[in-house]
Amino acid sequence: MGDVSHTSLPPLPSSDRVDVAARLRDALLGASFTADGMLDLLGAPAYAALARSETVPALRATRGDTPLETLVRLFLLQQPVPHARVADVLPVEDCLQSGWLSRVGGDEVTATVDVRPYGGPAGEDWFIVSDLGCAVGGAGGIGSREEGVVLGVGGASTTLAGITVREPVAAALDLGTGSGIQALHAAQHATRVTATDLNPRALHITALTLALSGAPAADLREGSLFEPVADDETYDLIVSNPPFVISPDARLTYRDGGMGGDDLCRTLVQQAGDRLNEGGYAQFLANWQHVEGEDWQERLRSWVPRGCDAWIVQREVQDITQYAELWLRDAGDHRSDPAEYQARYDAWLDEFEARKVKAVGFGWITLRRTAAAEPSITVEEWPHPVEQPLGDTVRAHFARVDFLRASDDAALLAGHFRLTAEVVQEQVGLPGAEDPEHVVLRQNRGMRRATKVDTVGAGFAGVCDGTLSAGRILDAIAKLVGEDPVLLRDRTPGQIRLLVEQGFLEPAE
């Protein structure tokens, strides 16, 4: 892939020189230009300030002439550095020739792209390439207004990477790859990775990210949504952090989908089912409209394609004014002419009013291809803190779906269960009261759910260690509390089913 430019954006390094990328990687690692190395150099306050696009603390912390300070100023802070200093750290002539660096003035060089150290899930030292000033945690934040700009790692990127199910697969698809973060993660457990993007500049940067991170090359294809994928191509994993912003125009490629309302996210979800192999997962971040007079959960249920289980989690809701302001600031419009800012704001509100949109939801959508006669669709709101990574939690959710789908009440009573790890019991009531008003089971891992249970449910969960069947445990509880065991067996399976569904209990087999 040759040099790629987009509108007035600068040329990119050559992605054909894999040998130069390998030597550059070795030099970066040799100087400890890693996530841990940067934290050690800058200290926590300066490191955190970078995430807020504040560079002064980092500039102050890199006034020396060590190799690491040189690289931070060059690639992360985008400062010109004397050629001689860079030559002591990098293969500078190779980097100049292949386009990673450019000359300025008489004896200084600058980076042509952002390069951000990124720690992989197993401690890998990776590097995410993006356009200058567009790495979150880089020099300028993401305030670029260029149409084809390619961003680096942001909160959405890391969220999707964290919720993705990680298991060995034959084929993975990263749809709308951007700077290649999801493709990089997928390359660790997929034999073949395909990455697509409407923006050719993004595909070029993805190739740079993979090469600089020492990952296998991906099959890079240009086009929108599933257009670059042949009709007979299917995958075991599909991931996408799409341009999900609901906006009145398609001004910024990385952000605006170019379809009306939430049609892009709906289309992406609806078309994914036919691209999945049996048991395969499709996982997306998405925005969706809350329309006046319509149930948002039913709206999302209607998106789920046939033959797929689904778990949809709404993490946040913003009213239309908050939403418009968020994305106007994202593009730097709040720093433009006040009249222009007001006109853009008006256009956003006009669009929402025309569609009767009162708020916008944000969250995660996971599909799993299934042969079950009655697919399971769970749509819920969970704005509370969770513990990333959640890939194993997502996989466990669908395993529980399979178990419960195959288990009637008799099977539940015959089953053996265990309390999952790090579940605690809380008793809520007035001080000094003989009995609690209610009992709460709370998870300290994964989704960190909490659920109310009665004394029977609490007692049942407390003794589930896989030894006795659920029915025998209930018989013992009935004897203890003086209740008819037949009646207790009759009324408790629903509570057992709920505790399994929410991940408090797991089958012991």
Side-chain angles (χ1 to χ4, degrees):
M1 188 180 294
D3 290 345
V4 172
S5 60
H6 198 298
T7 63
S8 60
L9 292 167
L12 294 170
S14 170
S15 61
D16 299 327
R17 295 294 306 275
V18 179
D19 58 325
V20 175
R23 288 198 294 276
L24 176 55
R25 170 178 171 78
D26 288 342
L28 298 177
L29 293 176
S32 296
F33 186 65
T34 62
D36 289 341
M38 279 176 35
L39 180 58
D40 290 341
L41 171 68
L42 301 178
Y47 194 70
L50 278 178
R52 304 190 299 270
S53 300
E54 296 290 348
T55 59
V56 172
L59 287 167
R60 290 172 61 86
T62 55
R63 289 179 291 192
D65 58 1
T66 67
L68 181 54
E69 287 170 298
T70 296
L71 294 177
V72 170
R73 292 182 74 87
L74 185 67
F75 284 116
L76 205 62
L77 301 177
Q78 284 98 58
Q79 299 296 304
V81 179
H83 181 285
R85 278 182 62 184
V86 178
D88 288 339
V89 187
L90 302 178
V92 66
E93 295 306 322
D94 284 343
C95 289
L96 285 166
Q97 184 180 10
S98 61
W100 288 95
L101 303 175
S102 63
R103 296 184 186 274
V104 292
D107 64 347
E108 292 186 316
V109 297
T110 61
T112 59
V113 287
D114 257 310
V115 176
R116 180 187 180 185
Y118 179 74
E124 302 96 338
D125 288 315
W126 293 339
F127 300 97
I128 308 301
V129 180
S130 63
D131 272 312
L132 287 172
C134 293
V136 179
I142 56 173
S144 175
R145 302 173 75 185
E146 293 285 355
E147 175 190 351
V149 71
V150 179
L151 303 188
V153 181
S157 304
T158 55
T159 294
L160 178 58
I163 67 172
T164 299
V165 174
R166 303 292 175 196
E167 57 190 10
V169 296
L173 172 64
D174 176 13
L175 195 151
T177 188
S179 56
I181 300 152
Q182 309 307 325
L184 178 57
H185 278 276
Q188 311 309 306
H189 61 100
T191 304
R192 176 173 57 88
V193 176
T194 301
T196 72
D197 205 290
L198 182 63
N199 183 0
R201 189 175 181 88
L203 296 176
H204 188 109
I205 283 181
T206 291
L208 297 176
T209 289
L210 294 173
L212 196 58
S213 297
D219 178 5
L220 304 176
R221 304 184 191 180
E222 182 180 343
S224 176
L225 298 179
F226 289 100
E227 287 175 4
V229 180
D231 290 343
D232 60 349
E233 288 184 281
T234 56
Y235 299 88
D236 307 297
L237 174 66
I238 299 172
V239 291
S240 184
N241 176 18
F244 53 65
V245 177
I246 300 170
S247 61
D249 54 34
R251 187 161 55 107
L252 298 174
T253 304
Y254 75 85
R255 187 192 75 177
D256 305 317
M259 296 186 185
D262 53 16
D263 284 354
L264 182 136
C265 291
R266 175 184 55 79
T267 302
L268 177 61
V269 173
Q270 289 179 335
Q271 292 181 355
D274 291 336
R275 305 294 183 175
L276 282 176
N277 293 325
E278 186 69 25
Y281 291 91
Q283 298 187 263
F284 316 108
L285 301 187
N287 276 182
W288 43 79
Q289 298 172 149
H290 285 229
V291 179
E292 187 177 337
E294 179 182 273
D295 185 321
W296 68 270
Q297 293 182 322
E298 289 306 312
R299 180 183 191 85
L300 289 173
R301 285 178 177 275
S302 73
W303 291 8
V304 177
R306 288 182 180 178
C308 287
D309 293 324
W311 184 21
I312 302 174
V313 183
Q314 179 167 273
R315 295 287 291 155
E316 184 180 1
V317 181
Q318 290 185 320
D319 67 49
I320 57 175
T321 58
Q322 290 175 308
Y323 190 81
E325 290 162 13
L326 169 67
W327 294 109
L328 287 166
R329 288 180 178 275
D330 170 80
D333 290 320
H334 61 300
R335 295 190 293 267
S336 65
D337 175 70
E340 181 182 347
Y341 175 80
Q342 182 175 339
R344 291 194 185 280
Y345 201 149
D346 270 333
W348 225 300
L349 296 185
D350 286 344
E351 173 81 3
F352 283 135
E353 288 178 8
R355 295 179 177 276
K356 297 184 178 179
V357 176
K358 57 184 181 179
V360 177
F362 167 83
W364 319 323
I365 297 177
T366 298
L367 307 177
R368 186 190 59 164
R369 191 76 188 173
T370 180
E374 294 186 18
S376 165
I377 301 176
T378 301
V379 184
E380 63 175 318
E381 185 166 20
W382 189 254
H384 311 294
V386 298
E387 183 188 49
Q388 285 275 34
L390 280 167
D392 287 345
T393 299
V394 173
R395 180 169 43 212
H397 168 88
F398 288 98
R400 294 193 301 270
V401 165
D402 289 340
F403 173 79
L404 291 173
R405 189 158 42 203
S407 303
D408 58 16
D409 286 358
L412 286 180
L413 292 172
H416 294 238
F417 299 93
R418 281 192 301 261
L419 192 66
T420 51
E422 297 196 38
V423 172
V424 297
Q425 176 179 304
E426 300 173 358
Q427 296 188 169
V428 181
L430 294 173
E434 184 175 343
D435 296 311
E437 292 179 15
H438 56 262
V439 177
V440 174
L441 298 182
R442 187 178 302 277
Q443 301 167 350
N444 286 321
R445 302 293 298 273
M447 292 294 286
R448 294 180 172 168
R449 296 187 186 277
T451 188
K452 289 182 183 179
V453 291
D454 58 22
T455 53
V456 169
F460 177 85
V463 297
C464 277
D465 61 2
T467 305
L468 299 175
S469 70
R472 289 189 63 187
I473 293 173
L474 290 177
D475 290 344
I477 292 175
K479 187 174 182 179
L480 186 66
V481 299
E483 188 168 340
D484 184 336
V486 174
L487 293 177
L488 191 60
R489 278 173 171 257
D490 188 53
R491 69 177 176 85
T492 306
Q495 192 166 187
I496 297 173
R497 190 174 294 274
L498 179 64
L499 290 174
V500 172
E501 182 181 303
Q502 295 191 346
F504 291 94
L505 295 178
E506 60 187 7
E509 294 86 328

